[in-house]
Amino acid sequence: MKAFHCDHCHNLAFFENTRCTRCHRLLAYLPDLKAMASMDQGDNDTWSSPWPQAKGRAYRLCQNYNSMGICNWAVPVEDPNPLCESCRLTEVIPNLGRPGAIERWQRLEAPKRRVMYGLTQLSLAVKSKTQDPDNGLAFQFCSDEDTPDDKPALTGHDAGVITVNIAEADDTERERRRVQLHEPYRTLLGHFRHEIGHYYWDRLVRDSPQIEAFRALFGDERADYAQALKDHYSNANPPADWQQSFVSAYAATHPWEDWAETWAHYLHITDTLETAAACGLSLRPAHDNEPALEQIRLQSADRSVAFDQLIADWFPVAYVLNSLNRGMGLPDAYPFVLSAPAIEKLRFVHDVIASAPVEAPPELHTQARAQLQPQPPAEQQPPAEQPPQLQPEAQSQLLAQQQQLPTSL
């Protein structure tokens, strides 16, 4: 996530903000420019921004911004849809007649918008079911009480439709499920990134020339999926050696879940690195056997970094995130250890995204896509000035050592 600022007073603004905390101007995210902006109201419920890049552009606020306080995005006035690019993807909203439904809807839409932002940063096409009934994307936010035949609302993906049980928006219930399923990490953002991974497997891998390379790394997805899930949930203990090959225990369930978990981790990594870069994070420890980081190569809207550099930057960032959390008595922010096979799966996701077609407006994404193209092998690239730092193997071992310490203080 980039750092944003109010265009009137230059105060720092965050992706979720609706008002500048200094000058109190209305803030809105402008999807066509991929930026938060402070707004001036015009005639006929239109808005404009003094930001130079927005000169000559007019907007309406998303209908869910005005009516429900659910959203903080804007819509170009020439777009006839009253909903923003994110809200229009939601086909089923919670039953607003039930207590707490509006709050849960708000909690679901916020991480969905962050995922939509991340996808545009990666220049990945996002189309609605209205635009593309066969290959488009849609979301349904359902509850157990509103499903037919009293069946539970299952979070999952099916043919471009991502369903999320709104109970996941209740922190207490989500934590109960995390403990029950022996998961080290369970968040709404993680759910969305995981399920969107299933969607992009269908779009980018299933019928592509990369399917055999996928099977060589992840396994044969033609294995019985229903039986694999049954085996996973009936067996409380994952394979004893799952950490040797997978990013998570759930990834060991089936190749599709392995892909979706790996995809989610890739989005965790790229979003967090972009945020750390925007904050100017660097690490300069007193001892040369500690993780060091001079400058994160992954800049805002920049995917020119080779995968090896991206993962090398991630190890020290994960180390410091976990260490800071422990200083606050919180669980690790990234409670995972990446083995060599898991890193190769992340590399595969990186390369799949790099080779994905661009279907978004060229003025927004052409440059970003050019920067994302696969890089030549490291030996063919000119050597870059690097600060002394641990080798990836040593950094991975350090994170593994860190995970052996208590995570609840």
Side-chain angles (χ1 to χ4, degrees), residues 130-206:
T130 301
Q131 293 171 297
D132 187 345
D134 293 329
N135 300 312
L137 178 65
F139 293 86
Q140 298 182 351
F141 299 147
C142 304
S143 69
D144 293 342
E145 295 83 1
D146 297 316
T147 55
D149 303 323
D150 294 325
K151 293 182 179 179
L154 299 178
T155 296
H157 167 267
D158 183 18
V161 177
I162 291 174
T163 301
V164 180
N165 189 321
I166 67 170
E168 293 286 348
D170 182 278
D171 293 343
T172 301
E173 175 61 20
R174 190 174 62 255
E175 176 64 9
R176 184 192 69 80
R177 296 183 183 196
R178 187 194 68 79
V179 172
Q180 182 183 41
L181 296 172
H182 308 287
E183 296 173 345
Y185 173 95
R186 189 181 183 93
T187 67
L188 287 173
L189 186 59
H191 280 316
F192 281 109
R193 285 175 171 163
H194 174 98
E195 301 304 339
I196 207 79
H198 286 299
Y199 171 75
Y200 279 104
W201 188 88
D202 287 349
R203 302 279 72 78
L204 303 178
V205 179
R206 183 183 61 191

Side-chain angles (χ1 to χ4, degrees), residues 338-402:
L338 297 177
S339 64
I343 290 172
E344 287 308 303
K345 293 173 184 177
L346 286 165
R347 184 192 304 276
F348 182 82
V349 171
H350 178 86
D351 291 342
V352 165
I353 291 173
S355 60
V358 180
E359 299 181 40
E363 69 272 17
L364 296 183
H365 303 309
T366 299
Q367 182 179 4
R369 170 60 66 204
Q371 294 170 334
L372 183 60
Q373 294 306 311
Q375 301 296 305
E379 62 270 13
Q380 297 179 17
Q381 298 182 31
E385 292 290 334
Q386 295 289 337
Q389 60 181 223
L390 298 176
Q391 294 301 309
E393 295 81 2
Q395 297 193 60
S396 183
Q397 291 172 4
L398 185 145
L399 287 181
Q401 180 182 1
Q402 187 181 50

Side-chain angles (χ1 to χ4, degrees), residues 107-360:
R107 293 171 187 167
L108 289 165
E109 290 288 355
K112 177 164 78 76
R113 288 193 297 273
R114 183 172 282 263
V115 170
M116 293 302 108
Y117 166 88
L119 296 176
T120 61
Q121 289 295 85
L122 291 168
S123 300
L124 289 168
V126 179
K127 291 185 177 181
S128 68
K129 286 289 186 182
T130 301
Q131 293 171 297
D132 187 345
D134 293 329
N135 300 312
L137 178 65
F139 293 86
Q140 298 182 351
F141 299 147
C142 304
S143 69
D144 293 342
E145 295 83 1
D146 297 316
T147 55
D149 303 323
D150 294 325
K151 293 182 179 179
L154 299 178
T155 296
H157 167 267
D158 183 18
V161 177
I162 291 174
T163 301
V164 180
N165 189 321
I166 67 170
E168 293 286 348
D170 182 278
D171 293 343
T172 301
E173 175 61 20
R174 190 174 62 255
E175 176 64 9
R176 184 192 69 80
R177 296 183 183 196
R178 187 194 68 79
V179 172
Q180 182 183 41
L181 296 172
H182 308 287
E183 296 173 345
Y185 173 95
R186 189 181 183 93
T187 67
L188 287 173
L189 186 59
H191 280 316
F192 281 109
R193 285 175 171 163
H194 174 98
E195 301 304 339
I196 207 79
H198 286 299
Y199 171 75
Y200 279 104
W201 188 88
D202 287 349
R203 302 279 72 78
L204 303 178
V205 179
R206 183 183 61 191
D207 300 319
S208 78
Q210 302 182 89
I211 187 64
E212 292 305 326
F214 166 84
R215 289 169 180 162
L217 276 173
F218 293 84
D220 193 333
E221 82 288 353
R222 293 168 294 189
D224 191 323
Y225 180 63
Q227 185 62 48
L229 289 181
K230 181 179 179 181
D231 292 344
H232 172 78
Y233 286 112
S234 63
N235 182 7
N237 298 313
D241 61 346
W242 69 263
Q243 287 185 309
Q244 301 301 314
S245 302
F246 302 96
V247 294
S248 70
Y250 187 59
T253 303
H254 186 275
W256 280 338
E257 298 303 339
D258 193 5
W259 161 269
E261 286 285 272
T262 304
W263 174 281
H265 278 248
Y266 184 81
L267 296 189
H268 291 335
I269 290 168
T270 54
D271 192 310
T272 305
L273 285 178
E274 185 183 74
T275 304
C279 294
L281 179 68
S282 63
L283 301 177
R284 299 177 182 179
H287 300 283
D288 60 8
N289 64 344
E290 298 177 16
L293 183 65
E294 185 66 22
Q295 180 183 15
I296 297 174
R297 302 303 192 271
L298 182 65
Q299 300 298 323
S300 179
D302 177 4
R303 297 297 183 266
S304 62
V305 179
F307 176 79
D308 288 338
Q309 184 60 58
L310 183 149
I311 205 69
D313 287 348
W314 174 243
F315 281 125
V317 170
Y319 157 79
V320 76
L321 282 175
N322 290 345
S323 297
L324 290 172
N325 265 30
R326 292 178 184 190
M328 292 292 294
L330 297 171
D332 285 351
Y334 191 75
F336 305 95
V337 177
L338 297 177
S339 64
I343 290 172
E344 287 308 303
K345 293 173 184 177
L346 286 165
R347 184 192 304 276
F348 182 82
V349 171
H350 178 86
D351 291 342
V352 165
I353 291 173
S355 60
V358 180
E359 299 181 40

Side-chain angles (χ1 to χ4, degrees), residues 19-98:
R19 292 276 176 181
C20 174
T21 56
R22 178 186 290 170
C23 72
H24 307 294
R25 298 273 185 171
L26 183 139
L27 300 173
Y29 180 73
L30 311 181
D32 55 335
L33 298 175
K34 298 197 292 185
M36 290 290 293
S38 53
M39 310 297 285
D40 293 316
Q41 189 165 13
D43 298 329
N44 301 317
D45 293 325
T46 62
W47 297 78
S48 62
S49 172
W51 187 38
Q53 287 85 335
K55 184 178 181 180
R57 302 186 186 219
Y59 299 88
R60 301 185 315 275
L61 300 182
C62 175
Q63 180 174 286
N64 287 339
Y65 198 147
N66 279 324
S67 62
M68 305 296 296
I70 297 295
C71 181
N72 67 342
W73 283 24
V75 184
V77 291
E78 58 271 17
D79 186 340
N81 197 315
L83 297 173
C84 72
E85 292 181 7
S86 178
C87 286
R88 68 186 62 170
L89 297 174
T90 303
E91 292 186 339
V92 176
I93 66 172
N95 182 344
L96 301 185
R98 296 188 181 277

